[in-house]
Amino acid sequence: GIQTLHVFKLVMLGKQGWRFMTNQDTTFSKVFKTKYFSSEKFLDVQLGQNSSFVWCNIHASQVVVRQNLRWRVGNGKSINV
């Protein structure tokens, strides 16, 4: 139903939020980063007053990104012990 569509929308927008964090060299990321969160990280930014409809929806997906964020060790080369 409608609740399922709302969750689906948040998941798809969460994917865009994840792209802000991982693919910062894309034009899409650069434009939004410059306009909405130039001095902060995506997960730390607060919603402004004159935000676009698209940004408001992507900002709402922060909850989904936070809930599913994990840190992976990988090969261990970038870990300082």
Side-chain angles (χ1 to χ4, degrees):
I2 292 176
Q3 182 65 23
T4 306
L5 283 175
H6 178 71
V7 171
F8 180 73
K9 179 183 94 169
L10 281 178
V11 169
M12 290 293 110
L13 291 168
K15 196 172 183 179
Q16 292 300 324
W18 179 252
R19 287 182 181 148
F20 284 145
M21 294 174 18
T22 58
N23 299 332
Q24 297 176 358
D25 294 333
T26 62
T27 304
F28 183 76
S29 294
K30 287 179 183 179
V31 168
F32 275 86
K33 184 168 178 65
T34 302
K35 182 152 175 84
Y36 295 111
F37 59 104
S38 61
S39 62
E40 301 178 47
K41 295 181 179 180
F42 171 69
L43 293 177
D44 298 331
V45 68
Q46 298 295 321
L47 193 60
Q49 289 182 330
N50 280 340
S51 298
S52 69
F53 178 74
V54 173
W55 175 246
C56 289
N57 283 300
I58 292 173
H59 183 270
S61 74
Q62 283 180 343
V63 175
V64 175
V65 175
R66 273 195 195 102
Q67 286 176 347
N68 296 302
L69 191 63
R70 304 286 187 270
W71 188 66
R72 291 189 181 178
V73 173
N75 61 8
K77 289 184 178 180
S78 63
I79 299 173
N80 295 327
V81 179

